[in-house]
Amino acid sequence: MILVTGGAGFIGANFVLDWLALSDEPVVNVDKLTYAGNLENLSSLQGDARHVFVQADIADGTCISQLLSQYRPRAVLNFAAESHVDRSIHGPEDFIQTNIVGTFRLLEAVRAHWGTLPAPEKHAFRFLHVSTDEVYGSLAADEPAFTETHRYEPNSPYSASKAASDHLVRAYHHTYGLPVLTTNCSNNYGPYHFPEKLIPLMIVNALAGKPLPVYGDGMQVRDWLYVKDHCSAIRRVLQAGQTGEVYNIGGFNEKPNIQIVRSVCVLLDELQPRQDGQPYSVQISYVSDRPGHDRRYAIDARKLEQQLGWRPAETFESGIRKTVQWYLEHPDWVAHVQSGAYREWVQKHYAP
Ligand code: NAD
Ligand code: DAU
């Protein structure tokens, strides 16, 4: 089996759902259930013996050690993190605690466990760390996309904390020989995305008749990847990646934010037009910029493509249509997230 951390969040939940749709290999899912952890994302796995959920903090070394000896996973995949840049600007403490201290404690527990394994299991074991393109900093308009050897230049407390975690993972390979893999991915979008991030926020605000807040001039560029393509890349790296290596994952899909917001508006105009006949774009509202806002991210994913044969399956056009449709088809999920009712899911469905 595999052990996944942060599997109740956006990418982790998509990963667990896809994993169990494609194989019968069980998953132990360790998640602290912060505001971003939502077990409703995994409601389709209720009663499925292949999914074992454990509410725990990755910084709780004793608990993680006990889970590792109990389940003896062949791999640990670390998705758990504080992930929202704006929150890191308002309050960095949790980012330091989870992304740095948490990753350190997780690495320590994994290292101790790995050291006790018999040779064949030890050889096959993998620790896969899920990271971000934001560790590389911001690109000028004419600079080439980030490769795996780009210097680290994180600009927000979030990206600095992720950069620190990447360095720890690298050091555990270099010093202790721990068989690690690191992936640095660009912006994801798709089902179960918490509506504090750009795309889901625009969809839910548009439908609620609220303003669509675009930071600054809206010309910041991100490289968008459909979440299920990120999951397929992680599966491929786990399967065939070389230990100690870093793999960049991206969508070959750079777009300025305002273009993203306009695409969402156009799709909603088609799929669920406003009752007054006006386009959703009338709700766009330019607001103050994010402090220290990175201007452009772009990932060069050719290493993953050339060495491991991975390519994204979705174009932005197909992925964004699926995403908008998913939100239109899941008004209850949106309502529960907005009201906070999703947090009652644990009590209702997992209480002893
Ligand atoms: P998310 O915020 O949606 O989910 C994070 C999950 O981690 C939540 O379920 C939360 O409860 C859990 N968690 C937080 N602190 C924890 C702790 N101390 N112990 C155990 N669980 C904890 O994040 P996401 O967007 O799904 O991102 C997942 C990973 O992918 C993160 O490491 C993030 O840095 C990385 N990443 C995200 C993107 C993106 O566009 N969302 C892109 C590249 C990389
Ligand atoms: O690049 C990968 C990163 O992408 C991940 O590591 C992070 O976990 C993830 O949150 C995401 O970070 P961003 O800051 O790029 O994502 P966010 O959705 O918050 O913002 C995307 C862009 O849209 C960014 O330039 C800020 C802008 N924005 C965002 C919000 C929430 C707006 O203009 N208005 C908004 O309301």
Side-chain angles (χ1 to χ4, degrees):
M1 63 162 55
I2 59 166
L3 187 148
V4 162
T5 71
F10 163 49
I11 303 172
N14 276 287
F15 182 86
V16 170
L17 291 170
D18 286 1
W19 182 270
L20 292 174
L22 292 167
S23 87
D24 279 333
E25 185 174 7
V27 178
V28 182
N29 183 353
V30 181
D31 196 296
K32 184 180 174 183
L33 296 182
T34 66
Y35 80 94
N38 181 354
L39 282 178
E40 269 190 66
N41 299 350
L42 301 164
S43 58
S44 61
L45 298 176
Q46 189 72 35
D48 188 328
R50 298 171 306 161
H51 179 238
V52 179
F53 180 76
V54 180
Q55 183 170 5
D57 191 327
I58 56 166
D60 182 347
T62 310
C63 176
I64 300 290
S65 298
Q66 190 259 316
L67 292 172
L68 291 170
S69 4
Q70 183 179 352
Y71 292 106
R72 298 177 75 88
R74 71 174 172 95
V76 171
L77 288 83
N78 184 29
F79 292 86
E82 288 293 336
S83 70
H84 191 34
V85 174
D86 292 330
R87 284 183 191 253
S88 84
I89 294 167
H90 291 291
E93 183 91 34
D94 287 347
F95 290 73
I96 306 306
Q97 188 54 38
T98 283
N99 300 358
I100 306 180
V101 179
T103 303
F104 159 68
R105 295 256 170 77
L106 181 65
L107 281 166
E108 276 293 271
V110 168
R111 177 169 78 90
H113 172 71
W114 176 71
T116 67
L117 295 176
E121 270 183 70
K122 195 172 181 184
H123 184 69
F125 186 85
R126 295 288 182 270
F127 179 89
L128 190 150
H129 180 60
V130 179
S131 193
T132 171
D133 59 0
E134 301 202 10
V135 297
Y136 299 125
S138 184
L139 288 168
D142 56 352
E143 275 185 285
F146 300 128
T147 64
E148 289 79 0
T149 54
H150 195 281
R151 70 181 174 278
Y152 268 45
E153 220 166 45
N155 288 320
S156 71
Y158 163 69
S159 52
S161 67
K162 289 295 291 187
S165 70
D166 292 9
H167 291 322
L168 283 168
V169 170
R170 182 182 178 281
Y172 272 63
H173 176 73
H174 188 81
T175 304
Y176 305 113
L178 193 70
V180 307
L181 298 156
T182 298
T183 57
N184 291 84
C185 188
S186 61
N187 285 62
N188 285 213
Y189 66 99
Y192 306 111
H193 205 179
F194 198 84
E196 63 182 353
K197 309 278 170 69
L198 181 71
I199 289 180
L201 182 76
M202 294 301 143
I203 299 171
V204 305
N205 274 15
L207 293 171
K210 292 184 182 166
L212 308 180
V214 173
Y215 298 165
D217 65 1
M219 290 307 291
Q220 304 83 5
V221 171
R222 297 291 182 268
D223 177 356
W224 294 93
L225 180 69
Y226 191 62
V227 63
K228 287 176 183 300
D229 281 326
H230 187 184
C231 296
S232 75
I234 290 172
R235 289 195 302 274
R236 184 69 190 135
V237 171
L238 179 64
Q239 181 186 40
Q242 204 179 316
T243 57
E245 288 291 313
V246 173
Y247 296 90
N248 280 356
I249 308 173
F252 302 98
N253 221 331
E254 283 184 63
K255 292 197 189 302
N257 293 338
I258 187 64
Q259 196 179 325
I260 299 294
V261 176
R262 290 198 184 280
S263 305
V264 167
C265 289
V266 167
L267 275 169
L268 287 171
D269 289 339
E270 175 196 327
L271 298 170
Q272 193 160 306
R274 274 171 52 125
Q275 284 182 347
D276 63 4
Q278 297 239 67
Y280 281 98
S281 56
V282 299
Q283 292 170 229
I284 291 174
S285 159
Y286 287 89
V287 299
S288 309
D289 210 350
R290 171 186 278 175
H293 201 169
D294 284 337
R295 194 66 183 167
R296 174 175 166 242
Y297 304 140
I299 277 281
D300 182 340
R302 283 178 298 176
K303 175 177 174 183
L304 183 54
E305 184 179 23
Q306 286 162 9
Q307 295 187 7
L308 303 185
W310 174 87
R311 281 286 299 180
E314 302 291 343
T315 62
F316 183 72
E317 288 63 37
S318 63
I320 193 71
R321 180 172 285 274
K322 283 185 183 176
T323 303
V324 171
Q325 268 163 344
W326 187 88
Y327 280 86
L328 290 173
E329 285 161 11
H330 293 82
D332 289 349
W333 184 91
V334 173
H336 292 170
V337 167
Q338 288 181 321
S339 70
Y342 70 104
R343 307 197 82 162
E344 290 158 22
W345 186 266
V346 191
Q347 274 76 43
K348 253 197 243 158
H349 296 266
Y350 286 81

